[in-house]
Amino acid sequence: MKQPDLSPDAPWKRRFRAWTLVAASVASREPSRGIATANRSGVYQLYAWDVASGELRQLTFAETGKVGGSLSPDGRHIYYLDDEQGNEIGHLVRVPYEGGEAEDVTPDLSPYALGALAISRDCNTLAFTTATREGFHTYLAPLGPEGEVGERRLLYHTTALMRGVTLSYDGAIAVLGLTERSKSTDSDLAAFDTASGDRIADLYVEGASIGITRTSRVPGDERVLCTTNESGLRRPLIWSPRSGERVDLAFDDVAGELLPVDWSDDARRLLLMQVNEAVQRLATYDLDSGELTWLDHPSGMIIGAHFAPEGEIYALMSDSARPQRVLALDAGTGAERRVLLEGEPAPEGAKFRSVSYPSTNGARIQAWLATPGGKGPFPAILEVHGGPTAVTMQGYFPRSQMWLDHGWAVLSINYRGSTTFGRDFEKCIEGDLGHWESDDMAAGHAWLVENGVARPDEVFLFGGSYGGYLTLLGLGKLPELWAGGMAWVAIADWKLMYEDQAETLRRYQVALFGGTPDELPEAHERASPVSYADRVDAPVLIIQGRNDTRCPSRQMEAYEEKMRELGK
């Protein structure tokens, strides 16, 4: 095995130390102003971004950092959740783009998790969803000519999982994503007249999930850009709530999923993103002519993209060799015109390539593979992403490059439950968490060995959040396969998890299982790594957050205690 390079200037250390972006966007009505999330100060904070100069000005100074924020369409305010020590429970606040004291938008409410936030494009209406033990509450508040927040009123309350809110250009219509009818992760849409509070329209298809993207940017145009997976793959649709008209954009000849990303300012074109076998590609679609134009842009992971002025598209991108950067692309061709914003230079990484392998029940699993220099077999890391409703793409991950620098192969898998591989692939795990994912991990181990990539006794599991859960589950259910595991902010006991976690994730857990731990005790026990602790043979490293409300610490402490009692 290659000896680790521990020198101060080792490439793997420089990749971790270089500050980088994780999010960036511009105000839709004031594109000279932007917001970015970067760790330039050492931890992630929100920054006001002057788009023309590329200057970043730090706006938040939270000790544990701040990641999520929203810029109002006029660029006047940046909204975020002010929580306690990163626990994601707190109050919605906002700061001026120029900087200043944070203003509490809901000083009279008890602390809550923030489910969603939307601001009408004319900036006269604010909508946001809170999540507490009493359920999800969506509120509306008027915004005055200087942006002042008016009296808040409740629009909707539900005890089921809520999946987003958006507002029409003038705030006259609010559209919510609801799961009350499906009693699962599938959502349908409900439109409300914000003046009266009346529910004016519904878009529901049994067995399918319909999601919100955004509303038109044109005054008086109340159409909503949505997604539907009725065909088995997600496709765009345009819904007019007041008339009930829906226009489906099927694109039967396009492989994989095709997701709507943005409207043009005149609402005559759409920005679309194809995701096929975890590879992304942008396209524009002319609603008048029906012409679909594929863009020839740099390859890699597209974190965000939208139409911009001067015939451009702004895209936050990375690839396995280069960190995140905001590119200005030609909206007609996709060609890179310039780099708008990027972090600190860092050593390039090795390229990953897409592979696939067979698993149980006829499934085919896509994964990303990279190997170090020299001839295999190598010791190997099998990475499993979080979610589960997420997907690993060809992005820049210093941790993956670190293994390669030290002579390890890396296989990062998109197990069953991952998004963008179709409805059946994503939904098959619901009600039986950990079953099919474990099969896909075992099949990944077999593929590594059979293809001479890895030694059978030197394959390690690695993952965070749901990936950490699968790491611990794999060590217990399939102890003969793994040489060890590394799990961070993981799930070990679904029952204790349910008791302690934030309400947003609580309802998501219920949707994934189809019921609470009291309603489905066997399913929760069968899915919990703590149930298999006695079978763990390999060493395991666990890193947990004390204030984490997504994967709370008590359930992990119980797992640790049981492991120690068993002499693990």
Side-chain angles (χ1 to χ4, degrees), residues 461-484:
L461 288 172
F462 175 84
S465 191
Y466 197 86
Y469 156 65
L470 291 178
T471 295
L472 298 182
L473 190 68
L475 292 173
K477 289 187 72 173
L478 302 165
E480 68 280 3
L481 294 183
W482 314 111

Side-chain angles (χ1 to χ4, degrees), residues 351-367:
K351 289 280 189 179
F352 278 67
R353 63 184 177 93
S354 182
V355 300
S356 65
Y357 59 85
S359 188
T360 56
N361 210 35
R364 192 141 197 100
I365 305 304
Q366 185 275 338

Side-chain angles (χ1 to χ4, degrees), residues 238-517:
I238 298 173
W239 182 43
S240 302
R242 292 196 192 274
S243 68
E245 180 187 9
R246 60 175 283 180
V247 177
D248 286 83
L249 306 176
F251 300 103
D252 294 331
D253 57 342
V254 174
E257 299 202 319
L258 193 62
L259 311 176
V261 177
D262 197 17
W263 293 89
S264 61
D265 277 347
D266 60 6
R268 299 176 66 178
R269 289 187 303 154
L270 302 179
L271 181 62
L272 306 176
M273 180 170 65
Q274 179 196 30
V275 188
N276 185 36
E277 292 293 307
V279 175
Q280 298 163 290
R281 188 180 181 188
L282 293 173
T284 59
Y285 180 71
D286 189 298
L287 289 166
D288 295 329
S289 68
E291 182 180 1
L292 181 69
T293 303
W294 293 104
L295 302 181
D296 186 17
H297 53 76
S299 62
M301 182 168 68
I302 303 167
I303 303 163
H306 56 83
F307 284 114
E310 308 299 329
E312 292 185 328
I313 291 168
Y314 293 169
L316 177 62
M317 302 186 66
S318 74
D319 57 48
S320 56
R322 294 176 295 173
Q324 293 91 315
R325 60 208 184 281
V326 181
L327 302 180
L329 308 176
D330 187 288
T333 66
E336 179 181 336
R337 288 185 174 177
R338 64 192 184 283
V339 177
L340 290 169
L341 186 64
E342 60 184 334
E344 190 176 354
E348 284 200 1
K351 289 280 189 179
F352 278 67
R353 63 184 177 93
S354 182
V355 300
S356 65
Y357 59 85
S359 188
T360 56
N361 210 35
R364 192 141 197 100
I365 305 304
Q366 185 275 338
W368 295 100
L369 174 70
T371 55
K375 184 179 180 181
F378 309 98
I381 300 292
L382 192 147
E383 289 187 339
V384 277
H385 65 71
T389 46
V391 60
T392 294
M393 297 182 183
Q394 192 186 166
Y396 185 81
F397 303 112
R399 63 174 184 263
S400 300
Q401 299 295 336
M402 174 188 67
W403 302 119
L404 294 164
D405 282 358
H406 293 106
W408 295 67
V410 179
L411 183 72
S412 187
I413 73 170
N414 283 312
Y415 52 80
R416 273 171 283 187
S418 302
T419 58
T420 74
F421 293 91
R423 181 179 61 197
D424 293 343
F425 190 93
E426 177 184 337
K427 302 283 289 181
C428 72
I429 69 169
E430 293 189 6
D432 191 16
L433 298 192
H435 175 180
W436 301 114
E437 305 96 303
S438 295
D439 284 0
D440 300 341
M441 292 154 59
H445 181 285
W447 186 88
L448 285 168
V449 173
E450 290 167 4
N451 286 274
V453 176
R455 306 182 185 109
D457 59 345
E458 290 189 353
V459 181
F460 290 74
L461 288 172
F462 175 84
S465 191
Y466 197 86
Y469 156 65
L470 291 178
T471 295
L472 298 182
L473 190 68
L475 292 173
K477 289 187 72 173
L478 302 165
E480 68 280 3
L481 294 183
W482 314 111
M486 294 153 281
W488 50 283
V489 292
I491 303 161
D493 186 323
W494 283 106
K495 184 177 186 299
L496 294 181
M497 171 91 163
Y498 177 81
E499 292 175 4
D500 293 354
Q501 68 186 317
E503 196 61 25
T504 43
L505 276 298
R506 228 172 182 274
R507 301 295 167 174
Y508 179 56
Q509 179 178 327
V510 172
L512 284 174
F513 276 95
T516 68

